[in-house]
Amino acid sequence: MENVDPVGVHTGDSIVVAPCQTLTDKEAQMLRTSALKIIRALKIEGGCNVQFALDPLSFNYYIIEVNPRVSRSSALASKASGFPIARVTAKVAVGMTLDEIMLSNGPACSEPALDYIVTKVARFPFDKFSEASNELGTQMKATGEVMSIGRTIEESLLKAVRSLETGVCHIYHKKFDDMATADILHYITRSTDDRIYAIAELLRRGVDRSLIYDRTKIDMFFLKKMDNIVNFEREVKAHKGDRAVLLEAKRIGFGDKFIGQLWGMTESEVFELRQELGIKPVYKTIDTCAGEYSGYVPYFYSTYEEENESIVSNRKKIVVLGSGPIRIGQGVEFDYTTVHSIWTIREAGYEAIIINNNPETVSTDFTISDKLYFEPLTVENVMNIIRMEKPDGVIVTLGGQTAINLAKPLAKMGVKVVGTGIEAIDNAEDRKLFEAIMRKVGIPQPKAKAVTDIEEGVAAATEIGYPVLVRPSFVLGGRAMQIVGNEQALRHYLHNAVEVTEDSPVLVDKYIMGKEAEVDAICDAEGNVFIPGIMEHVEHTGVHSGDSISVYPSFSLSAKVKEQMIDYTIRLGRAIGIVGLYNIQFIVDSEDKVYVIEVNPRSSRTVPFLSKSTNVPMAKIATRVMLGESLPSQGITSVYGEEPKRHFVKTPAFSLAKIKGVDSYLSPEMKSTGEAIGYDKSLTRALYKSLQASGMTVVNYGTVFLTIADKDKEAALPLIRRFYNLGFNLEATSGTAAFLREHGLRTRLLRKISEGSDDIVKSLSKGHVSYVINTIDVNQHNTRLDGYEIRNAAVENNVSIITALETVSALLDVLEEITLGVSTIDAEYKK
């Protein structure tokens, strides 16, 4: 495999192609021989990853690193070649030799031979972390990746770009339209996540490739391939409707959507034009050996050639849409539900077909399904497969928001959506329809209004009452969500954070302070509902559910509150028209009144956690429901599952140290990149295991640094006193230190960064601070100055930072049991 980006960009962030394109046979043989020598010298048996740096101006090469194990690249290499590296490694570990291990197309000692081009492009979180630097370097910043397969570099690259789900459909980004050529030339000197689009724009403007090479050091071979794409854009634009040009555009890898933009047509119009002209893709197999051995591997990619290698059967079949690249808000949890669904479909006697483009997932292992199509999750690519396979239905509710977003355009083109249908999805996601259902079934929700301009937003917030939660419509992972406490902050948000128009309304909700809880449930076509369990968040409202510590069974909800949640879940499942999985998030205020925040008409990120905690195979049950079975026919007659004696805790994991510039303060905008689970008979011990597993350093000694908002000082005092009584030293900024001293707590004062002092940074860098506790006031517009710098210094020095008092309380419960053998939270739970 070969990195397109030069040395200096982490391989996980780089565009990677396979097989190598710019190496001579002599260079390739040198690297192959060197890798084998290293493996033999180190006596490695099984998977191994060797990274080289090659001097482009000579035959000199250097070893960067050797990983004596399977690596991130192993998943990519396995999916790119069809050679199951991990499976072969496991068999080698138990004593087998490569010639004894038989694969689909011959023995494992046969080196894979590729007659196609694979491209891997990383997926970055900068759409969510707009304040973070998008410059790439030796520290990996990507949260996921996509892989694409084509017959040429051009085709493979363009398919990868369409798979990223970043709002682009080609190597074109409107960001560079109005940028001066000199400015773009300066921009490409840095390795950024969007440099490929800047380079393409320079090529459109006729900038010499040599100048681009001089600024980027990207091999001229790849720049020439990008130039080929850009040059053919002009050809396409000049020949609207021409069949020969359209066919060549498809062979190069142009998507219907971009062709439509060049021709002034919609994507669906271009799609139908292709059908009329008989321009359809064929599907080639990934056979690991370029046809050297016979065999049929049901692993396919599309291209525009003549021979179709995908054999279409007469069996009843179901297509499941995967979730695409891993990113914040949509992680590997959806791969879990996808795989369990595929297994269930096969058990039911159907041919199970998966469409996905993420090499890191289990669903893209061709042994999981009857057929795997490694394709972009776009309307065009999915419809191409559906027109050929003619399935009995498509499941869209297990691949997160990616698959849900395809539901409506697919249905318009005559595709049968299995399970929760288009109307039900609209009922849950369209604000007006959802509010109408809530009124009809008599379920309370926070006061809210959709606004389409700034003044309307200010008027709505005044009517509803501050603080308010503001967010764009149809968000994923809390993107651009914010709590604002006054008109100045609201105007700033509406002017800078989002685009508010008639087509892009912003939702203004009353912010209710209280406990937050959620359920994952299953509703069948007859209206039967099953709720395996209710999860309670440790943090109160205001922290995104994905960033909250989640506990099952709930630890402080009353029986009355849980009964209310169960009732609301049943009513909403039936009223919305859910057939399959759905997720509901609740707020419980100080008077135990239950409000519904939102309903997600699909699998959620907590389904794997709840499935493992309750031992209920939710994805399997839901899939059987979507295939037409009722819950009672599966032996499920109760509405609510039996709560276990054990406690299960899900704690988020963050990668903030890797992405410089991201504010670590927890808010409605999701920031976590993963999660860990802990369980035990004791809730405190389960919490301890989960915190440790998530990467937090949990110690019962050291110093606590505190900077607490005025509104939180009284609530924080008893918590801080508990730290003090455990023997922790206290350090604080001036206002917090004065407050603590007034209440008899010895506290060392550290001057603020805005006062020109580096006391805080020095203290954090010395290594004696165990925890930083920082809260802010949403009613103060500018809360980032000192707080942001403190949080950033804590992240850079690997100091655990906590920004919610509920998390502090939970941590103290753990520390007190470690130190004193006292478990406050367990005692409260037993009451």
Side-chain angles (χ1 to χ4, degrees):
M1 296 183 290
E2 177 179 5
N3 289 9
V4 172
D5 296 285
V7 173
V9 176
H10 191 285
T11 187
D13 289 350
S14 180
I15 297 174
V16 177
V17 296
C20 294
Q21 299 296 303
T22 66
L23 301 187
T24 64
D25 291 341
K26 182 179 178 180
E27 288 171 331
Q29 187 57 44
M30 279 196 312
L31 299 186
R32 187 182 292 110
T33 302
S34 297
L36 290 173
K37 284 181 180 178
I38 291 167
I39 291 169
R40 287 164 182 159
L42 295 175
K43 297 181 179 179
I44 294 169
E45 295 183 3
C48 178
N49 171 261
V50 185
Q51 293 184 33
F52 295 98
L54 187 68
D55 182 353
L57 303 178
S58 72
F59 283 112
N60 295 329
Y61 65 95
Y62 308 86
I63 295 170
I64 300 174
E65 66 176 1
V66 178
N67 295 304
R69 53 171 172 77
V70 292
S71 68
R72 179 184 305 104
S73 301
S74 302
L76 175 63
S78 293
K79 302 299 168 66
S81 66
F83 187 96
I85 293 173
R87 193 190 318 160
V88 171
T89 296
K91 291 187 176 184
V92 168
V94 296
M96 296 181 70
T97 58
L98 292 178
D99 60 309
E100 295 173 329
I101 302 170
M102 295 304 297
L103 304 178
S104 301
N105 283 8
C109 60
S110 298
E111 186 175 316
L114 281 59
D115 58 358
Y116 48 85
I117 304 294
V118 168
T119 303
K120 185 270 294 184
V121 180
R123 178 61 158 85
F124 296 96
F126 303 124
D127 53 336
K128 285 183 62 64
F129 297 151
S130 56
E131 73 275 20
S133 169
N134 71 335
E135 186 168 351
L136 309 180
T138 54
Q139 172 65 68
M140 182 176 169
K141 294 183 177 182
T143 57
E145 61 191 36
V146 298
M147 188 186 95
S148 64
I149 312 167
R151 301 299 268 189
T152 64
I153 288 282
E154 293 90 338
E155 181 183 29
S156 184
L157 175 62
L158 290 176
K159 286 172 75 174
V161 167
R162 292 205 301 277
S163 300
L164 284 172
E165 299 176 41
T166 56
V168 300
C169 60
H170 192 75
I171 52 170
Y172 162 77
H173 200 301
K174 63 181 181 180
K175 169 182 178 177
F176 301 103
D177 283 355
D178 300 323
M179 193 180 289
T181 300
D183 291 338
I184 302 178
L185 278 167
H186 176 70
Y187 187 85
I188 66 171
T189 58
R190 300 180 301 120
S191 297
T192 59
D193 68 313
D194 54 5
R195 181 160 67 169
I196 186 174
Y197 308 110
I199 292 171
E201 182 58 30
L202 289 172
L203 293 171
R204 287 186 191 95
R205 298 181 187 186
V207 174
D208 191 87
R209 292 198 302 270
S210 298
L211 182 56
I212 297 173
Y213 169 78
D214 186 58
R215 299 295 176 94
T216 65
K217 301 307 179 201
I218 293 175
D219 196 282
M220 287 290 285
F221 173 86
F222 296 112
L223 296 178
K224 176 66 170 67
K225 296 299 181 180
M226 292 176 64
D227 206 9
N228 291 344
I229 295 170
V230 169
N231 287 335
F232 204 76
E233 291 173 9
R234 304 185 187 99
E235 188 76 9
V236 173
K237 193 168 185 177
H239 295 86
K240 181 177 180 179
D242 186 286
R243 186 186 188 281
V245 171
L246 178 57
L247 176 58
E248 186 60 25
K250 299 308 293 181
R251 283 178 173 161
I252 290 175
F254 283 50
D256 287 351
K257 187 173 182 179
F258 187 71
I259 293 171
Q261 290 175 9
L262 295 176
W263 284 356
M265 300 167 67
T266 65
E267 180 179 10
S268 60
E269 286 172 342
V270 176
F271 181 88
E272 294 303 335
L273 175 62
R274 282 199 298 105
Q275 309 310 302
E276 292 172 16
L277 296 175
I279 300 176
K280 301 176 185 178
V282 297
Y283 293 89
K284 300 291 186 180
T285 61
I286 303 294
D287 66 0
T288 78
C289 56
E292 291 179 20
Y293 295 91
S294 62
Y296 180 70
V297 179
Y299 175 7
F300 307 98
Y301 66 96
S302 67
T303 191
Y304 283 81
E305 293 186 356
E306 300 301 321
E307 183 186 3
N308 185 38
E309 297 175 358
S310 176
I311 300 171
V312 179
S313 74
N314 294 322
R315 293 175 59 193
K316 296 181 70 175
K317 59 192 75 166
I318 298 290
V319 170
V320 179
L321 302 185
S323 57
I326 293 172
R327 62 270 201 198
I328 294 174
Q330 186 149 321
V332 76
E333 304 94 335
F334 295 102
D335 188 54
Y336 171 94
T337 51
T338 299
V339 170
H340 281 256
S341 177
I342 287 287
W343 288 340
T344 306
I345 291 166
R346 296 182 79 174
E347 287 173 7
Y350 291 85
E351 183 176 319
I353 299 171
I354 182 75
I355 306 174
N356 203 4
N357 51 44
N358 185 340
E360 301 173 296
T361 60
V362 179
S363 63
T364 50
D365 183 332
F366 66 82
T367 62
I368 294 296
S369 57
D370 291 300
K371 273 187 168 182
L372 165 64
Y373 287 93
F374 217 106
E375 289 288 286
L377 285 158
T378 65
V379 176
E380 171 192 346
N381 294 86
V382 172
M383 278 304 303
N384 284 337
I385 295 166
I386 289 172
R387 288 279 176 98
M388 182 184 72
E389 289 285 355
K390 297 180 175 57
D392 293 86
V394 177
I395 292 179
V396 300
T397 53
L398 301 178
Q401 203 63 36
T402 293
I404 281 284
N405 289 343
L406 291 172
K408 189 175 287 185
L410 291 178
K412 283 183 178 178
M413 299 179 80
V415 175
K416 180 183 177 183
V417 174
V418 175
T420 301
I422 305 306
E423 186 178 342
I425 292 170
D426 279 346
N427 285 340
E429 292 197 332
D430 184 283
R431 188 72 177 195
K432 291 181 179 178
L433 293 174
F434 182 63
E435 287 178 352
I437 286 174
M438 292 287 282
R439 287 192 298 271
K440 181 180 177 181
V441 296
I443 296 176
Q445 63 180 140
K447 289 182 181 178
K449 190 172 182 180
V451 300
T452 54
D453 61 55
I454 293 176
E455 294 307 320
E456 188 183 5
V458 171
T462 303
E463 178 187 339
I464 291 169
Y466 290 98
V468 292
L469 176 69
V470 284
R471 55 195 168 113
S473 301
F474 303 99
V475 299
L476 176 67
R479 185 183 61 80
M481 273 194 192
Q482 215 172 97
I483 298 168
V484 295
N486 53 46
E487 182 177 329
Q488 180 188 7
L490 178 62
R491 287 185 180 276
H492 178 81
Y493 172 87
L494 293 174
H495 188 265
N496 296 290
V498 294
E499 180 184 3
V500 51
T501 65
E502 287 287 343
D503 296 327
S504 305
V506 167
L507 308 178
V508 181
D509 296 27
K510 175 63 180 175
Y511 172 66
I512 299 173
M513 185 64 177
K515 300 173 185 178
E516 195 164 332
E518 63 182 310
V519 302
D520 285 304
I522 303 166
C523 184
D524 66 22
E526 299 172 6
N528 301 300
V529 172
F530 177 54
I531 305 165
I534 296 172
M535 298 161 282
E536 182 178 357
H537 298 174
V538 167
E539 291 79 8
H540 281 195
T541 52
V543 174
H544 191 279
S545 60
D547 290 349
S548 296
I549 297 173
S550 186
V551 178
Y552 171 77
S554 61
F555 56 92
S556 72
L557 302 179
S558 67
K560 179 184 175 184
V561 164
K562 288 196 279 190
E563 287 171 7
Q564 194 77 77
M565 290 178 178
I566 292 168
D567 177 45
Y568 289 172
T569 302
I570 295 169
R571 283 198 250 169
L572 283 170
R574 292 170 178 170
I576 291 171
I578 302 291
V579 181
L581 284 164
Y582 62 116
N583 168 269
I584 304 182
Q585 296 185 27
F586 301 96
I587 296 174
V588 184
D589 69 12
S590 57
E591 297 178 356
D592 267 6
K593 184 175 181 180
V594 179
Y595 298 84
V596 169
I597 305 175
E598 65 178 354
V599 178
N600 294 306
R602 53 171 172 79
S603 170
S604 78
R605 76 176 58 81
T606 48
V607 165
F609 169 65
L610 194 58
S611 294
K612 291 169 184 178
S613 301
T614 61
N615 201 29
V616 173
M618 295 184 68
K620 180 176 182 178
I621 295 168
T623 299
R624 291 175 65 178
V625 162
M626 287 187 273
L627 295 177
E629 294 186 48
S630 68
L631 289 170
S633 70
Q634 298 183 51
I636 301 170
T637 54
S638 61
V639 172
Y640 187 68
E642 183 178 346
E643 294 187 350
K645 293 181 180 178
R646 282 182 175 181
H647 302 274
F648 297 81
V649 179
K650 175 182 75 71
T651 300
F654 299 89
S655 304
L656 300 170
K658 299 179 184 297
I659 308 173
K660 192 174 179 61
V662 178
D663 192 348
S664 58
Y665 199 90
L666 298 187
S667 69
E669 174 96 35
M670 186 174 169
K671 295 182 170 71
S672 61
T673 52
E675 60 198 31
I677 187 173
Y679 60 91
D680 202 288
K681 290 181 179 178
S682 158
L683 179 51
T684 310
R685 287 195 293 271
L687 181 59
Y688 173 68
K689 290 177 180 179
S690 183
L691 290 171
Q692 287 273 54
S694 71
M696 177 184 278
T697 302
V698 181
V699 294
N700 60 344
Y701 57 86
T703 298
V704 180
F705 175 78
L706 304 132
T707 174
I708 309 296
D710 289 340
K711 71 177 183 61
D712 295 322
K713 284 185 169 64
E714 289 296 336
L717 180 60
L719 300 175
I720 299 168
R721 195 179 297 280
R722 288 166 68 185
F723 275 115
Y724 191 77
N725 291 339
L726 286 171
F728 282 87
N729 298 313
L730 304 180
E731 294 180 346
T733 49
S734 55
T736 304
F739 175 79
L740 296 178
R741 287 171 175 174
E742 287 173 12
H743 289 83
L745 299 180
R746 190 187 309 115
T747 306
R748 181 183 176 214
L749 170 64
L750 299 182
R751 287 178 299 157
K752 292 182 177 181
I753 295 169
S754 62
E755 296 169 353
S757 170
D758 62 353
D759 289 352
I760 295 172
V761 175
K762 279 184 176 178
S763 179
L764 292 174
S765 65
K766 287 177 180 177
H768 64 263
V769 175
S770 302
Y771 306 102
V772 168
I773 300 172
N774 170 222
T775 72
I776 63 174
D777 188 346
V778 297
N779 292 301
Q780 295 179 355
H781 169 54
N782 195 345
T783 57
R784 284 195 61 174
L785 286 177
D786 280 290
Y788 171 74
E789 295 297 336
I790 291 167
R791 294 188 292 274
N792 192 47
V795 168
E796 289 184 352
N797 288 283
N798 198 30
V799 179
S800 297
I801 180 165
I802 306 173
T803 61
L805 294 183
E806 298 80 24
T807 313
V808 175
S809 179
L811 173 64
L812 280 162
D813 289 327
V814 170
L815 298 180
E816 285 169 347
E817 180 162 357
I818 293 172
T819 309
L820 308 173
V822 175
S823 178
T824 307
I825 192 169
D826 280 325
E828 288 297 316
Y829 178 80
K830 287 173 183 175
K831 286 182 182 179

